Amino acid sequence: MVVAEGAQGYIHSVETAGAVDGPGLRFVVFTTGCPLQCAYCHNPDSRHMKNGYMATTAELLTEIAQYRDFLTSTNGGVTISGGEPLCQPHFVRALLGGCKAMGLHTAIDTSGYLGEAADDTLLDMADLVLLCVKSFDPQAHVDITGAPLHPTLTFAQRLARRGQDVWLRYVLVPGLTDNWGAIEGLAGYAAKLGNIRRVEILPFHKMGEYKYEELGLPYRLKATPPPPPEDIARARSIFAQYGLDAV
Ligand code: SF4
């Protein structure tokens, strides 16, 4: 058992009945800290670790335990999201371990950029990895996130070698990530991995825009609309053509 008694980390918030971060209903722990600066990030207030508050795994696991029956009755579980959970690998490993010990399904939601920070023990504690690939075009990836793409692909290959279940996520942003050739490239790449159980096309939305204003941060996508339904359908169909289950 890897639960480190008293392990603590910085979190932004928790959600007790999340419906979008993995199967069933989820208890979602949003950690703080993220090395990326995605143009469309709707949690810019999570980027700095110390903008969060300190929580111990013991506190969180006590709270999660209250929801255990509810979560399992929906075939749900616990997801650690962010920010970037792999900024705090020891904390995340302990938290996942505690959830597994309770018999809960576990997931981490990550960009994969810090994949090297996740040791095999941490990954053993995650039943599912939600891997958000921001772009398959290396130049565009840098433009969108400020960081290179290759660490994410290295992590994806490692997860594939481990045979670990992955849901691939892709945020569709008009004028930013709707390069159809790059999407097709990602679909072909993902299909070869062999462990992608589902692809989720997430339409860009602006629910986080007010946070940029509050934080005094520039927001590049002020004039960008959500993607039209036909573009969402087109992105899904590209993945489906490669035999992937795209929703
Ligand atoms: S990886 Fe996620 S939390 Fe980090 S900047 Fe990008 S969208 Fe925001």
Side-chain angles (χ1 to χ4, degrees):
M1 187 72 264
V2 295
V3 175
E5 285 287 327
Q8 54 194 17
Y10 288 97
I11 68 168
H12 175 271
S13 54
V14 301
E15 191 178 340
T16 54
V20 295
D21 292 310
L25 289 175
R26 317 290 300 178
F27 189 105
V28 188
V29 178
F30 295 93
T31 59
T32 52
C34 184
L36 270 50
Q37 298 189 13
C38 302
Y40 55 70
C41 178
H42 56 265
N43 291 322
D45 50 337
S46 294
R47 283 185 191 159
H48 297 289
M49 198 181 293
K50 294 196 173 165
N51 283 354
Y53 64 91
M54 185 84 89
T56 67
T57 51
E59 284 161 2
L60 287 165
L61 291 169
T62 301
E63 190 176 354
I64 290 167
Q66 295 167 22
Y67 294 90
R68 178 171 51 178
D69 293 347
F70 166 70
L71 298 170
T72 51
S73 71
T74 69
N75 293 319
V78 176
T79 299
I80 307 186
S81 183
E84 171 53 65
L86 298 182
C87 280
Q88 303 180 73
H90 302 295
F91 173 59
V92 167
R93 186 176 56 198
L95 197 51
L96 290 171
C99 294
K100 291 289 289 172
M102 269 188 249
L104 285 165
H105 178 274
T106 54
I108 54 171
D109 174 15
T110 175
S111 72
Y113 179 67
L114 296 180
E116 279 190 9
D119 61 16
D120 285 344
T121 319
L122 186 157
L123 295 178
D124 287 345
M125 295 294 150
D127 294 312
L128 177 68
V129 177
L130 307 173
L131 183 64
C132 190
V133 180
K134 315 296 179 178
S135 172
F136 196 62
D137 177 310
Q139 287 295 320
H141 193 279
V142 173
D143 173 47
I144 294 164
T145 71
L149 168 66
H150 64 84
T152 294
L153 299 186
T154 302
F155 187 55
Q157 296 283 351
R158 179 173 163 213
L159 295 173
R161 282 195 303 276
R162 288 173 50 88
Q164 187 138 15
D165 286 353
V166 169
W167 286 10
L168 184 70
R169 303 181 123 186
Y170 190 81
V171 182
L172 191 64
V173 189
L176 198 67
T177 68
D178 58 354
N179 174 333
W180 303 110
I183 292 174
E184 177 132 15
L186 177 60
Y189 180 88
K192 285 199 199 110
L193 291 173
N195 62 330
I196 307 296
R197 307 288 169 234
R198 168 188 276 224
V199 179
E200 294 186 324
I201 304 299
L202 308 175
F204 166 64
H205 64 70
K206 292 184 159 178
M207 285 187 276
E209 184 170 0
Y210 74 97
K211 295 183 183 174
Y212 287 80
E213 283 161 21
E214 282 177 9
L215 294 165
L217 292 172
Y219 186 57
R220 274 168 68 181
L221 303 176
K222 254 185 193 314
T224 303
E230 58 272 23
D231 282 3
I232 299 166
R234 180 174 176 184
R236 287 183 181 134
S237 77
I238 291 171
F239 285 96
Q241 279 162 22
Y242 282 85
L244 294 162
D245 178 17
V247 298

